[in-house]
Amino acid sequence: MIITDNLLLRAQTARKPIRVGVVGPGFMARGMMHHIHHDVPGMVITAVFARSREKAHAALDFAGYAAGDIIDADNASAVSDAAQRGKVAVTDDHTALTGSDQVDVVVDATGSVFFGAELALSAIENGKHLVLMNAEVDATLGSILCHKAEAAGIVYTGMDGDQPGVQMNLIRFVRGLGLRPLVAGNIKGLQDEYRNPTTQEGFARKWGQDPHMVTSFADGTKVSVEQALVANAAGLSVHRGGCLGRDHEGHVDELTGMYDLDELHAMGGAVDYVVKAKPGPGVYVLASHDDPKQQHYLNLYKLGEGPLYPFYTPYHLCHFEVPNTIARAMLLGDACIKPLPNGPRVEVVPMSKRDLKAGQALDTKGGYDYYGVCEKASVQRTENLLPLGLAEGCVLTRDIAKDEVISYADVEVPDGRLADQLRAEQDAMFPVAGA
């Protein structure tokens, strides 16, 4: 979104910067905060929420803020007062951040479905645009949260820089050329459903990341969540549970001959992923054009003879691009990626990594108990499958075999969780998946 650079410069010149509240100053958020502080005109960090204020202070120190520029705040008034003095407020009360009149945009970088649900409602109630670096809450509750946000007149959006946002930007580009996207894909370097925090501990330590987060990348959970977001934003489906997910060590251009065109048209297009393809890590879109005259031009421009034409972005730059999303939301009222208004077409459901016993409480995603796979929303609803984002804390009522999908009938759901209530509201609002 090149247009945002000039808009941000205008905001800087007018001394009316976008005021950002960051919730969850973890690995990616620290990088984003550093980037905004040093490299992004027309945008400032106003407040940071963390359950431990020490973590927020450490993140701001990493981003280059002096200790004297940071003030602890207990409520929304204190956050606003700090901002008006040119300081950054640190709080352990997320409502202090969402309730401040000195915050324009809230960035959820928590990765938590349960807290993310509370945060989203608080942001919506307080009229704050919501940028999600939290794909999990979006994949679980995106349809209902987006509906509530738009009813309140605010922007609800996933982020530029992560694969779903990069795919959606590419889809919009391809559609603008007059082509029809039929495959939206993610390029992965590794896929092993049985990885766990123990196997990924060394990699996590090397890069300063959380072992559970790293495991969710390796075991396929993250790519399933990401592709569900793309499907639900672009109106695509999946060939089967888990996507096709082929290994291919060649170039993504070669994928154009590996799909059944008639099947893709009948499905309305599909999301997928490929392991080890080049150039990675990035994303690809395969699209068709019905006009023979334009097919001739596409061949001239080295995209091949069709019927599928390849487009790809060979990188995703994560936190570096989030300021683009913030600017799009605040200055243009535009979302990078959000669910379509007719309900989800693809869900993510948990499959067991190992034999599990009745009475066991399921651990968190990227753990030892389950991995996530994409499934058609119609199948999830018909078979009453448990959404992956709600699995944590559920207690099994029967033994589950390795690689068995887990349904609502297999668990007792903890009482009183807001996320479950919102999910029930979403299911009631969209009784026929994707309709």
Side-chain angles (χ1 to χ4, degrees):
M1 290 295 294
I2 300 300
I3 190 174
T4 59
D5 61 348
N6 286 330
L7 293 176
L8 287 169
L9 286 172
R10 290 178 193 172
Q12 179 84 346
T13 301
R15 297 185 179 180
K16 293 182 178 179
I18 301 172
R19 300 164 298 183
V20 181
V22 179
V23 179
F27 180 77
M28 291 295 179
R30 291 199 308 270
M32 177 196 69
M33 291 160 62
H34 185 279
H35 180 44
I36 290 173
H37 186 49
H38 293 280
D39 302 315
V40 181
M43 189 176 297
V44 295
I45 305 295
T46 293
V48 180
F49 163 88
R51 296 187 188 278
S52 164
R53 292 188 182 187
E54 290 75 15
K55 184 175 182 180
H57 279 275
L60 288 165
D61 177 70
F62 174 89
Y65 289 85
D69 293 332
I70 306 166
I71 296 178
D72 284 355
D74 295 323
N75 52 52
S77 177
V79 170
S80 297
D81 179 68
Q84 289 169 342
R85 295 165 55 192
K87 309 296 184 181
V88 181
V90 164
T91 183
D92 54 11
D93 179 357
H94 70 277
T95 64
L97 183 150
T98 58
S100 169
D101 61 6
Q102 297 295 308
V103 172
D104 300 311
V105 180
V106 174
V107 178
D108 176 2
T110 66
S112 168
V113 173
F114 304 110
F115 177 73
E118 296 181 19
L119 175 65
L121 289 189
S122 183
I124 292 167
E125 289 167 1
N126 285 283
K128 312 301 184 187
H129 300 304
L130 182 61
V131 171
L132 296 173
M133 297 175 74
N134 182 349
E136 290 77 11
V137 74
D138 198 9
T140 309
L141 302 170
S143 292
I144 189 64
L145 293 177
C146 187
H147 171 79
K148 290 178 181 293
E150 294 189 343
I154 65 171
V155 175
Y156 171 99
T157 177
M159 58 179 275
D160 290 274
D162 210 3
Q163 285 100 326
V166 179
Q167 285 177 72
M168 199 64 209
N169 288 338
L170 189 56
I171 287 169
R172 288 172 64 172
F173 170 76
V174 168
R175 285 174 173 166
L177 300 178
L179 288 94
R180 180 183 180 186
L182 289 174
V183 180
N186 200 322
I187 304 169
K188 286 179 57 66
L190 171 69
Q191 176 82 351
D192 180 354
E193 292 82 356
Y194 310 114
R195 295 296 178 99
N196 60 52
T198 300
T199 65
Q200 303 310 112
E201 183 178 2
F203 183 92
R205 188 186 309 113
K206 175 182 178 181
W207 293 103
Q209 294 180 282
D210 177 73
H212 285 82
M213 180 177 67
V214 169
T215 299
S216 74
F217 301 161
D219 70 7
T221 297
K222 192 69 170 179
V223 72
S224 297
V225 167
E226 290 172 345
Q227 295 313 95
L229 296 184
V230 176
N232 296 334
L236 307 177
S237 186
V238 286
H239 285 84
R240 64 184 185 213
C243 301
L244 295 178
R246 57 173 57 87
D247 284 357
H248 178 67
E249 297 191 18
H251 198 278
V252 293
D253 287 351
E254 299 164 7
L255 298 175
T256 56
M258 299 182 184
Y259 292 92
D260 184 312
L261 188 66
D262 291 336
E263 182 182 26
L264 289 173
H265 278 292
M267 296 170 61
V271 293
D272 201 3
Y273 67 90
V274 63
V275 181
K276 300 178 183 177
K278 301 177 181 62
V283 304
Y284 63 94
V285 169
L286 309 181
S288 67
H289 204 307
D290 296 332
D291 188 334
K293 296 176 182 177
Q294 300 293 32
Q295 291 170 3
H296 178 78
Y297 281 104
L298 290 168
N299 194 9
L300 171 67
Y301 299 148
K302 311 304 181 187
L303 287 186
E305 297 182 357
L308 286 175
Y309 300 93
F311 300 83
Y312 52 86
T313 303
Y315 50 79
H316 61 287
L317 298 178
C318 300
H319 74 269
F320 284 104
E321 298 190 58
V322 178
N324 295 339
T325 318
I326 295 169
R328 289 170 70 170
M330 183 67 190
L331 303 176
L332 296 169
D334 182 51
C336 171
I337 178 169
K338 65 177 182 178
L340 290 171
N342 58 350
R345 292 176 57 88
V346 173
E347 299 277 7
V348 185
V349 297
M351 303 277 287
S352 56
K353 286 185 180 181
R354 56 181 180 172
D355 292 340
L356 303 173
K357 295 296 183 182
Q360 176 179 343
L362 294 172
D363 66 2
T364 188
K365 67 184 183 299
Y368 297 88
D369 291 346
Y370 54 88
Y371 57 93
V373 296
C374 285
E375 184 55 271
K376 294 177 181 177
S378 57
V379 173
Q380 182 272 328
R381 191 70 63 86
T382 300
E383 299 184 7
N384 201 29
L385 302 180
L386 181 67
L388 175 104
L390 303 178
E392 181 180 352
C394 290
V395 178
L396 295 175
T397 57
R398 70 174 181 89
D399 293 350
I400 302 290
K402 183 179 180 181
D403 292 321
E404 187 176 356
V405 66
I406 303 172
S407 75
Y408 273 112
D410 300 323
V411 300
E412 290 181 357
V413 178
D415 292 333
R417 301 192 305 190
L418 175 62
D420 294 305
Q421 298 167 21
L422 285 169
R423 179 63 191 217
E425 186 178 351
Q426 177 172 294
D427 289 347
M429 179 172 287
F430 307 105
V432 179

